[in-house]
């Protein structure tokens, strides 16, 4: 359990702390601003103003809902990999490829040596921290996922590309820590893609986190978890943020077979469904988690980023998460 | 050696210009209630025509409809069968593409044609022969959740999918499909299960009539199962050469009893193949395996690439063929 580590960092959280995976939907005014910017109808400054306004909207909304550990909502990002590729040297922009259904993303191309020049997410983290007193996660996409979701033309193989990325992205983590970030999430949704490459992902995460005074979370989703568990427990982070409800909580069976030893951000609502989960269903999912994982180790959140939902759906899903956490907290007190 | 050029299966259904974003735009508007189903179908028709035209322009001898209408390779077929509902997202092999996972609650049964209308449309609009492409029953079953509750388990699910797809193959053959391709990437993850797989393929092959039946395996190294693949009742065998540096030598030394579809052009990475190096691989295969006739193709569907790069890959097929033919003369 890492509660002692959090307390050592000066962070005191309630039982079942509520957080979110990272992204929230962009409000209409920001979508309009992004479209206008893409068509050269507004300047960069006007877009950034809309992004700040949208960030504040989500910070306030999370506070109103009663979320315990906030995110900035990623209003400034298009895609979780393309955003970093746009801000690191060595990448060129690729065209659109489909991720699922009617969703597409611009898959970057690693066409030269990767280099981190200056902080990428830091200014947004500082802006969000300036408008809330709640704990705020620093957020970045991990090196394995950026490598896996890019076309590799420059480096001879995947491992070399991944470790080069880790070495450069460590600068970003250090910049966040230096500025005061205590909780940092490094998203690695691709980590289960090629089980034989898990050691590469672990090696890269060591490069990213070793020796740094922060509580690290890694978000992992939509993969064949069975093939990388329990080896995944060697990933040097404190908390795995996992998509549990989409897969019918079947990972709990794995945890029964081989003990789960980290904190967990337990996904209790499906991020890719329009349906708003009933409070009782969400509570039930959490109760099932409690049968396998100690209560002190459980955080609660949606399965994945909520950016593909409408604003109203995202708020309603977060409300369901908060409601369930409150009921369980109350029951724990009794 | 007669070397024909063909697309593998999928093709990007989006591009960078507004015309090629028609389908995305229309579906988004449909989701908001601003467009009708007819408008979505019209956008799918238009994007299919564009995909066919780009393949023809690249000089392919055998094209596909690009699977433009497919939500994904699994639910597009399984979701049309009775006894199956479609559930949450799951990653498709080691790609960054996600499909909706089928949940089998009763025997999967085909109540209506699955792909016949799509094939007819493409054939009518295409200047070149169109290959019909289906995801195979083994891959569908491996990616399905069994909630049927019967005692048959996986085998019962597999049998249902096999019967449904066998009926579709009969319909496609009757509808004039000269080549019908069964996609079975899951086989390479379960090569010990080959006898079961063979039974499926045999059942499918019985319905092919005068069509040529192709089997495509990809997203893995087929070397370990190559000899067994040669025993299957198919006319064309499609192989992905990108997972195995030794596969060219393996095929060259073993030969083939089937027409090969040589996936030597990487459908997953943007780096363009060196025509001279690929032509040398072709020479080795032609000489070693004694090939009289083969298809040169991408290693898998091209939907994993941006459209401009997918188009370049198709054009590169022709460049490679010219280099290869030049080296022979």
């Amino acid at each position: 359990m890492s509660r002692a580590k959090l307390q050592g960092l000066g962070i005191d959280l309630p039982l079942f702390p509520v957080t979110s995976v990272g992204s929230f939907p962009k409000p209409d005014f920001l979508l309009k601003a992004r479209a206008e910017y893409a068509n050269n109808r507004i300047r960069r400054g006007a877009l950034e103003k809309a992004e700040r306004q949208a960030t504040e909207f989500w910070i306030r909304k999370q506070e109103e809902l009663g979320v315990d550990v906030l995110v900035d909502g990623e209003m400034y990002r298009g895609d979780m990999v393309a955003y970093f590729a746009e801000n690191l040297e060595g990448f060129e922009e690729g065209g659109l490829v489909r991720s699922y259904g009617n969703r597409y993303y611009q898959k970057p191309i690693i066409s030269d040596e990767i280099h981190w020049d200056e902080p990428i997410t830091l200014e947004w983290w500082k802006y969000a921290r300036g408008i809330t007193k709640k704990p705020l996660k620093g957020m970045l996409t991990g090196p394995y996922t950026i490598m896996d979701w890019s076309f590799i033309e420059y480096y001879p193989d995947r491992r070399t590309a991944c470790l080069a990325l880790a070495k450069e992205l460590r600068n970003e983590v250090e910049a966040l820590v230096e500025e005061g970030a205590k909780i940092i999430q490094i998203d690695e949704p691709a980590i289960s893609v090629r089980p034989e490459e898990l050691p590469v992902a672990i090696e890269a995460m060591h490069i990213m986190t070793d020796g740094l005074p922060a509580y690290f979370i890694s978000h992992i989703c939509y993969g064949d978890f069975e093939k990388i568990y329990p080896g995944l427990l060697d990933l040097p982070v404190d908390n795995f943020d996992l998509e549990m409800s989409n897969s019918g909580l079947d990972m709990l069976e794995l945890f029964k077979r081989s003990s789960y030893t980290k904190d967990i951000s337990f996904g209790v609502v499906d991020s890719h469904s329009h349906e708003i989960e009933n409070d009782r269903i969400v509570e039930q999912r959490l109760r099932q988690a409690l049968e396998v994982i100690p209560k002190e180790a459980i955080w609660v959140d949606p399965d994945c980023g909520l950016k593909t939902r409408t604003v109203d759906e995202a708020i309603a899903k977060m409300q369901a998460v908060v409601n369930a956490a409150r009921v369980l907290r109350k029951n724990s007190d009794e | 050696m007669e070397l024909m050029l063909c697309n593998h299966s999928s093709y990007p259904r989006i591009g960078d210009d507004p015309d090629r974003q028609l389908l995305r735009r229309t579906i988004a508007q449909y989701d908001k209630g601003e467009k009708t189903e007819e408008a979505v179908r019209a956008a799918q028709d238009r994007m299919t025509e564009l995909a066919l035209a780009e393949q023809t322009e690249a000089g392919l001898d055998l094209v596909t409809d690009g699977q433009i209408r497919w939500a994904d390779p699994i639910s597009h077929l399984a979701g049309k069968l009775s006894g199956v509902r479609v559930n949450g997202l799951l990653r498709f092999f080691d790609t960054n593409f996600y499909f909706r996972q089928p949940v089998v609650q009763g025997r999967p049964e085909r109540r209506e044609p699955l792909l016949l209308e799509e094939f007819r449309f493409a054939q009518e609009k295409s200047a070149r022969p169109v290959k019909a492409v289906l995801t195979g029953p083994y891959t569908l079953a491996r990616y399905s959740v069994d909630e049927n509750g019967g005692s048959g388990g996986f085998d019962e699910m597999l049998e249902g999918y096999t019967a449904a797809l066998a009926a579709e193959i009969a319909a496609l053959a009757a509808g004039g499909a000269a080549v019908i391709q069964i996609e079975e990437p899951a086989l390479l993850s379960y090569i010990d299960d080959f006898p079961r797989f063979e039974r499926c393929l045999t059942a499918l092959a019985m319905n092919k009539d005068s069509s040529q039946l192709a089997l495509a395996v990809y997203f893995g190294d087929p070397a370990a199962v190559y000899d067994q693949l040669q025993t299957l009742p198919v006319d064309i065998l499609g192989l992905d050469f990108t997972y195995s540096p030794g596969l060219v030598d393996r095929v060259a030394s073993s030969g083939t009893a089937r027409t090969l579809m040589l996936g030597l052009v990487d459908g997953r990475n943007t780096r363009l193949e060196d025509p001279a190096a690929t032509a040398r691989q072709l020479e080795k295969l032609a000489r070693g395996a004694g090939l009289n006739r083969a298809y040169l193709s991408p290693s898998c569907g091209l939907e994993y690439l941006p459209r401009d790069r997918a188009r370049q890959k198709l054009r590169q097929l022709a460049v490679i063929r010219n280099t290869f033919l030049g080296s022979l003369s």
Side-chain angles (χ1 to χ4, degrees):
Chain A
M1 304 315 121
S2 300
R3 287 206 160 244
K5 180 172 184 180
L6 281 165
Q7 281 163 357
L9 291 163
I11 296 173
D12 194 19
L13 295 174
L15 274 181
F16 309 110
V18 174
T19 189
S20 67
V21 174
S23 67
F24 283 123
K26 294 178 175 63
D28 286 343
F29 67 83
L30 178 54
L31 293 175
K32 184 165 171 267
R34 285 170 68 89
E36 285 177 341
Y37 179 71
N39 291 317
N40 294 318
R41 289 205 290 268
I42 61 169
R43 289 169 185 267
R44 178 83 208 158
L47 174 63
E48 284 177 3
K49 187 179 171 195
E51 288 169 344
R52 281 195 297 276
Q53 199 182 334
T55 304
E56 181 161 6
F57 169 82
W58 280 114
I59 291 287
R60 297 287 163 255
K61 200 52 77 180
Q62 291 171 87
E63 288 176 334
E64 284 167 27
L65 287 164
V67 174
D68 300 295
V69 178
L70 274 51
V71 295
D72 65 21
E74 301 173 10
M75 295 297 108
Y76 48 90
R77 290 192 199 177
D79 165 83
M80 64 183 291
V81 167
Y83 177 71
F84 288 90
E86 285 160 12
N87 287 285
L88 288 165
E89 280 183 25
F91 284 88
E92 68 176 84
E93 190 179 85
L96 290 164
V97 292
R98 194 153 68 116
S99 55
Y100 71 94
N102 198 37
R103 292 277 167 182
Y104 302 82
Y105 69 107
Q106 284 191 297
K107 187 167 177 175
I109 301 168
I110 303 175
S111 55
D112 206 339
E113 187 173 7
I114 295 161
H115 185 66
W116 178 94
D117 252 355
E118 57 183 0
I120 299 167
T121 63
L122 186 65
E123 286 307 310
W124 283 109
W125 186 84
K126 283 162 68 175
Y127 173 71
R129 187 196 53 181
I131 55 175
T132 184
K133 291 188 166 44
K134 294 256 195 172
L136 178 78
K137 291 196 267 193
M139 308 285 300
L140 62 156
T141 306
Y144 185 84
T145 297
I146 295 179
M147 175 277 293
D148 187 63
W149 294 1
S150 301
F151 298 113
I152 304 169
E153 295 192 356
Y154 177 77
Y155 292 98
D157 55 58
R158 291 164 58 86
R159 179 176 180 274
T160 312
C162 179
L163 298 185
L165 270 160
K167 184 170 156 284
E168 295 303 311
L169 285 170
R170 166 135 182 148
N171 294 310
E172 184 72 16
V173 181
E174 287 177 351
L176 283 163
V177 169
E178 199 170 308
E179 197 60 41
K182 303 276 199 296
I183 303 175
I184 296 176
Q185 182 170 309
I186 301 172
D187 294 329
E188 285 290 21
I191 202 167
S192 64
V193 170
R194 298 191 184 190
E196 71 279 9
E197 288 183 347
L198 182 61
V200 176
I202 291 171
E203 188 179 356
M205 192 62 86
H206 273 291
I207 293 172
M208 297 279 286
T209 63
D210 278 0
L212 293 175
Y215 177 91
F216 287 102
I217 301 173
S218 190
H219 170 63
I220 296 165
C221 62
Y222 301 101
D224 198 348
F225 203 74
E226 193 162 352
K227 289 185 177 157
I228 56 167
Y229 189 82
L232 182 66
L233 293 170
D234 290 335
L235 197 76
V237 297
D238 304 287
N239 182 320
F240 287 138
D241 182 321
L242 300 176
E243 153 253 342
M244 300 297 285
S245 67
N246 174 63
S247 52
L249 311 190
D250 57 4
M251 283 183 241
L252 287 177
E253 290 304 313
L254 285 179
F255 300 164
K256 284 178 191 169
R257 292 205 293 271
S258 181
S259 183
Y260 182 80
T261 55
K262 292 183 186 284
D263 290 351
I264 186 168
S265 297
F266 196 93
V268 287
V269 292
D270 185 350
S271 300
H272 295 100
S273 145
H274 293 292
E275 188 186 333
I276 306 303
E277 286 81 352
N278 179 300
D279 284 359
R280 256 175 297 185
I281 289 174
V282 181
E283 266 175 60
Q284 180 54 34
R285 288 172 179 163
L286 269 181
R287 289 186 200 288
Q288 287 175 259
L290 276 168
E291 291 169 12
V292 185
I293 303 168
K295 62 183 177 187
E296 294 80 7
I298 299 176
W299 296 37
V300 199
D301 68 353
D303 273 349
C304 195
L306 288 168
K307 71 175 183 181
T308 59
R309 298 301 95 219
T310 65
V311 169
D312 288 344
E313 285 169 353
I315 292 170
K317 281 183 182 273
M318 286 306 297
Q319 186 69 67
V321 175
V322 170
N323 291 348
R326 281 182 178 153
V327 169
L328 265 79
R329 261 177 224 159
K330 191 164 171 249
N331 291 350
S332 292
D333 291 343
E334 285 167 358
Chain B
M1 177 175 78
E2 184 190 6
L3 185 64
M4 292 163 294
L5 308 181
C6 73
N7 193 8
H8 190 282
S9 45
S10 66
Y11 192 71
R13 59 185 213 167
I14 197 166
D16 291 326
D17 60 288
D19 282 353
R20 284 169 175 75
Q21 298 190 354
L22 172 69
L23 183 55
R24 175 169 75 167
R25 211 164 46 239
T26 308
I27 293 174
Q29 289 167 331
Y30 171 78
D31 287 343
K32 289 185 202 162
E34 296 166 4
K35 290 277 184 185
T36 61
E37 278 184 35
E38 287 71 30
V40 173
R41 269 198 294 278
Q44 290 170 332
D45 288 350
R46 175 67 188 138
M47 294 308 295
T48 302
E49 288 181 69
L50 283 173
L52 290 165
E54 288 176 20
Q55 293 171 75
T56 303
E57 180 265 345
L60 300 197
D61 302 296
L62 183 64
V63 301
T64 72
D65 69 357
Q67 302 180 336
I68 300 299
R69 298 165 208 273
W70 294 38
D72 60 66
I74 304 293
S75 71
H76 186 70
L77 298 174
K80 291 180 181 174
L81 303 176
S82 66
V84 180
R85 74 177 168 87
V86 171
N87 200 20
L89 293 169
L90 197 66
R91 189 187 300 278
F92 191 57
F93 292 87
D94 60 356
T95 71
N96 187 27
F97 180 81
Y98 300 78
F99 68 95
R100 295 267 174 202
Q101 189 170 33
V103 177
V104 176
Q105 297 177 308
R107 181 184 161 85
E109 291 202 30
R110 176 183 177 271
R111 304 280 188 194
E112 57 186 357
L114 308 175
L115 298 173
L116 186 60
E117 287 312 309
E118 296 172 20
F119 169 74
R120 280 184 174 146
F121 176 85
Q123 191 58 81
E124 188 189 315
K125 299 292 179 185
S126 175
R128 302 282 162 84
V130 175
K131 175 171 67 172
V133 182
L134 303 88
T135 308
Y138 192 81
T139 297
L140 291 183
R142 279 292 170 201
Y143 269 138
S144 294
V145 175
D146 179 18
E147 280 187 4
N148 194 7
S151 56
F154 180 80
D155 280 318
E156 200 169 290
M157 209 161 53
L158 183 59
E159 191 194 320
Y161 278 135
T162 303
L165 294 181
E168 188 65 18
I169 286 170
L172 287 165
V179 179
I180 302 171
Q181 178 169 302
I182 311 297
E183 306 241 303
E184 286 286 18
L187 171 67
L188 299 183
S189 305
Y190 297 92
I191 54 176
D192 293 341
D193 206 17
F194 192 85
R196 197 188 239 157
F197 178 80
E198 186 174 25
R199 285 197 293 277
C200 294
L201 255 290
T202 304
L204 298 182
M206 288 169 72
N207 281 11
K208 78 183 184 76
D209 199 13
S210 60
S211 301
Q212 290 215 304
L213 193 65
L215 168 68
V217 293
Y218 51 94
F219 293 162
D221 179 2
V225 77
Y226 182 72
D227 291 339
Q228 291 161 287
L229 290 171
Q230 289 288 334
T231 67
L232 292 170
V234 296
D235 305 289
I236 301 167
L237 186 57
L239 303 173
D240 177 348
F241 284 78
T242 65
Y243 279 73
S244 166
L247 188 59
V248 168
D249 289 331
R250 173 78 167 83
V251 174
S253 66
S254 298
T256 181
R258 306 280 174 260
T259 299
L260 294 180
M261 184 172 82
L262 303 165
L264 289 163
V265 170
D266 192 343
R268 297 275 300 276
N269 200 8
T270 50
R271 189 190 285 144
L272 275 185
E273 282 67 19
D274 172 15
T278 313
R280 281 196 295 277
Q281 291 179 303
L282 282 168
E283 285 171 45
K284 190 181 269 189
L285 287 162
R287 209 171 290 129
L291 302 181
N292 295 319
R293 187 171 190 265
Y295 289 94
L296 177 63
S297 75
S299 58
C300 60
L302 287 174
E303 209 192 349
Y304 308 103
L305 296 177
R307 193 183 199 99
D308 60 338
R309 301 298 180 118
R311 214 169 167 178
Q312 283 175 12
K313 289 274 178 173
L314 290 184
R315 288 172 175 155
Q316 198 73 347
L317 293 174
V319 175
I320 292 166
R321 176 166 67 181
N322 289 341
T323 308
F324 169 68
L325 294 176
S327 71
L328 294 182
S329 58

